[in-house]
Amino acid sequence: MKNLLKWMLCLVLMVSISSMQVFAEDPGFEDTEYWNKLCNQDGLTAEQKQKCKAFMIQASNDLSKKIQEIESRRNEIAKDIQKATEKVRGYEAQISALGVKIADLNGQIAVKEKEIEQLEKDIAKNEDEIEQAKGKLRTRISSTQETMRLNPMLDVLMGAKDFDDFVRIANGIRDITAYDEKSMEKLAEQIRQLNEDKKQVEEDKKTLDAAKDEVVKNQQQILALKYEAQIVEDELRAQFVDLQAQGNRYAANIDAIKNRMKELDSQLHDVPNASGFVSAVPNARVSAGTWYYPGTQHIHLGCDYAAPTGSPVRAVGNGVILASNDGCGPGWLGNTCGANGGVLMGGNQVRLLTKVNGGLYAVTYCHLLAGSPIQSGTIVNAGDVIGLIGSSGNTTGPHSHIEVVYLGSGDNFASYAQNWNGDLGFGVGWGKVHGMSKRCEAGASAPCRMRPELLF
């Protein structure tokens, strides 16, 4: 047993060392390409956000000033969060336009780099040809202009046998001289072209540097916009639970719901107990877990299941739909839609009463796609589709925020459904103090909140 423990300890150490190697330290801030790429991503950890903030402050004077201005407005943003969120909504179009501009500039940069590369190859080839031509001319001049002697061509002329021979030799010398002149002209043209190419390279490099500077400037503008959006999101999350608690606490048309439950009396008594929970959103990823938003101390009383828009959202057990509300279009950060029969900011919502493993549970599904929530008063089986993934209400992307409240014994299923008072919080509320104090895992008795991610 001791040997087994030793081996397990060694394995843990090896994994830890391996992890340390994989997650090596980030490069210095001089590697702007790395940091611009990292900091422009979504879903950064709290540590990465801090590092990106440090990079932005050091990146340039202009960006540093923008970051400091945003920080100085933090209290102002917190005081008027709705106004701030409306402002941030407009940033999406700016960020998109800057992204298109960056892509276009990067395309121009790639073309210009290829042009410079080809010009430099042409220059190298031209320089080689010029050196060869100069060598040939030097050899020819040295052979015809020997020191302290008459020109060898004159010697040739004077050695003519007769006048006809003299004319023939003279014509030959003239042709040779013409060839030399053409060689000189060609050499001069090559040198001129070489100088023009070198000048063009320098101009192209200046254009290239300007384009790269413009890319960096646009990237930094995006970082500044995203940083302000992040501050707004952080402040909104800090206030979210309180804002939610200020919304409708009770479902609309409670009398109509009660009448419907009376009509379903026999069916409610026949709803079978499920032997276990099924997945609410199959193949989804958890984008934000229960109790706190990732990397923050901001309260989050449910679990966010992210999936593509239109993905099915299913009943986690057999039961009845207590309440349903619809009519919210695509949401955004700070959108308050959802109070028409649901909670403020929840978008399109469904509330399922179900009995699983002998227990009675209320399950809330938020941010559903418009037109998809199943109607109130519908009897459902575990796995039935009760809505589709959307992004209505206070959202930054397609997902469903799911909350689970344990209500006690499943034997009370029909009675609870018929006597429900319309409380959308099912007795556990949403406030920071009240909501967090009513956690089953913290020892609270029913009704108490549970972690959805531990159930399905």
Side-chain angles (χ1 to χ4, degrees), residues 261-271 379 414 418:
M261 293 304 156
K262 289 178 181 178
E263 294 173 3
L264 295 172
D265 182 67
S266 60
Q267 295 181 56
L268 291 174
H269 282 88
D270 291 338
V271 170
I379 300 290
Q418 292 174 338

Side-chain angles (χ1 to χ4, degrees), residues 18 25 39 48-49 101 110 122 149-150 156 170 192 203 213 234 272 307 329-330 332 335 379 382 401 415 437 447:
S18 174
E25 289 188 5
C39 299
Q48 287 173 326
K49 289 175 184 176
K101 190 173 182 181
D122 292 343
R149 284 193 54 191
L150 292 174
V156 172
R192 184 191 65 77
E203 291 177 356
D213 288 343
D234 287 346
W332 61 84
N335 184 289
I379 300 290
H401 171 89
S415 175
S437 67

Side-chain angles (χ1 to χ4, degrees), residues 32-311:
T32 56
E33 183 177 354
Y34 170 86
W35 287 102
N36 278 319
K37 184 177 180 181
L38 173 68
C39 299
N40 269 299
Q41 293 178 357
D42 296 322
L44 297 179
T45 65
E47 182 182 2
Q48 287 173 326
K49 289 175 184 176
Q50 287 298 320
K51 289 181 178 179
C52 285
K53 178 182 175 182
F55 164 69
M56 287 186 276
I57 290 174
Q58 187 172 316
S60 73
N61 290 333
D62 290 341
L63 184 56
S64 178
K65 288 178 182 177
K66 288 178 183 177
I67 299 303
Q68 290 172 1
E69 288 173 3
I70 294 168
E71 283 286 355
S72 67
R73 296 204 313 271
R74 184 185 285 270
N75 289 336
E76 181 184 333
I77 288 170
K79 288 178 182 177
D80 198 349
I81 192 68
Q82 296 305 318
K83 182 179 178 181
T85 54
E86 286 296 324
K87 181 181 177 184
V88 166
R89 282 187 65 198
Y91 290 171
E92 294 178 3
Q94 294 181 48
I95 289 172
S96 178
L98 287 168
V100 171
K101 190 173 182 181
I102 288 171
D104 181 56
L105 284 167
N106 283 330
Q108 294 177 32
I109 287 170
V111 171
K112 190 60 66 178
E113 284 177 337
K114 287 183 178 179
E115 289 177 357
I116 290 173
E117 182 183 359
Q118 185 58 49
L119 267 176
E120 288 177 337
K121 287 180 180 178
D122 292 343
I123 287 171
K125 181 181 178 182
N126 210 352
E127 284 178 333
D128 185 54
E129 291 177 354
I130 288 171
E131 285 303 315
Q132 290 180 23
K134 284 181 178 179
K136 290 178 181 179
L137 284 171
R138 288 192 194 99
T139 302
R140 183 163 183 79
I141 290 170
S142 63
S143 66
T144 56
Q145 299 288 342
E146 293 181 358
T147 306
M148 301 301 291
R149 284 193 54 191
L150 292 174
N151 192 314
M153 292 185 179
L154 183 59
D155 293 341
V156 172
L157 284 171
M158 296 304 293
K161 297 177 182 178
D162 52 34
F163 183 74
D164 290 337
D165 193 26
F166 181 87
V167 172
R168 181 182 60 77
I169 293 172
N171 286 334
I173 292 173
R174 184 188 62 192
D175 291 341
I176 292 171
T177 303
Y179 173 78
D180 289 343
E181 289 176 354
K182 288 181 180 179
S183 297
M184 290 294 291
E185 289 174 0
K186 181 180 178 181
L187 179 60
E189 175 60 23
Q190 285 180 308
I191 292 172
R192 184 191 65 77
Q193 186 61 50
L194 177 67
N195 290 332
E196 284 187 3
D197 287 347
K198 287 182 176 181
K199 183 179 179 182
Q200 185 63 48
V201 165
E202 292 304 315
E203 291 177 356
D204 286 350
K205 285 182 176 179
K206 288 179 181 178
T207 302
L208 184 63
D209 290 340
K212 288 181 177 179
D213 288 343
E214 185 68 15
V215 166
V216 172
K217 180 180 176 182
N218 290 329
Q219 286 175 331
Q220 291 182 349
Q221 178 66 13
I222 288 176
L223 288 177
L225 293 173
K226 286 192 171 184
Y227 185 70
E228 183 166 355
Q230 185 61 56
I231 283 183
V232 172
E233 184 175 355
D234 287 346
E235 291 299 331
L236 182 63
R237 282 178 171 174
Q239 300 177 26
F240 176 72
V241 175
D242 290 336
L243 288 170
Q244 194 178 36
Q246 293 169 17
N248 280 9
R249 288 178 177 270
Y250 298 91
N253 302 319
I254 186 61
D255 290 337
I257 293 173
K258 285 186 174 183
N259 290 334
R260 175 58 179 161
M261 293 304 156
K262 289 178 181 178
E263 294 173 3
L264 295 172
D265 182 67
S266 60
Q267 295 181 56
L268 291 174
H269 282 88
D270 291 338
V271 170
N273 174 63
S275 59
F277 289 94
V278 301
S279 176
V281 189
N283 301 316
R285 68 178 178 85
V286 174
S287 57
T290 312
W291 308 145
Y292 297 98
Y293 282 100
T296 74
Q297 289 301 306
H298 302 326
I299 306 300
H300 188 229
L301 298 176
C303 183
D304 289 350
Y305 292 90
T309 299
S311 299

Side-chain angles (χ1 to χ4, degrees), residues 248-252 323 341-343 349 351 364 420 422-427 430:
N248 280 9
R249 288 178 177 270
Y250 298 91
V343 293
Q349 304 159 45
R351 280 167 178 78
T364 297
W420 179 53
D423 178 9
L424 298 174
F426 298 97
W430 292 279

Side-chain angles (χ1 to χ4, degrees), residues 324-331 335-342 346-349 368-373 392-393:
S324 173
N325 70 296
D326 200 353
C328 294
N335 184 289
T336 58
C337 190
N340 57 329
N348 304 312
Q349 304 159 45
L368 301 176
L369 187 68
S372 73
S392 56

Side-chain angles (χ1 to χ4, degrees), residues 377-388:
T378 305
I379 300 290
V380 297
N381 295 315
D384 285 354
V385 176
I386 59 175
L388 302 176

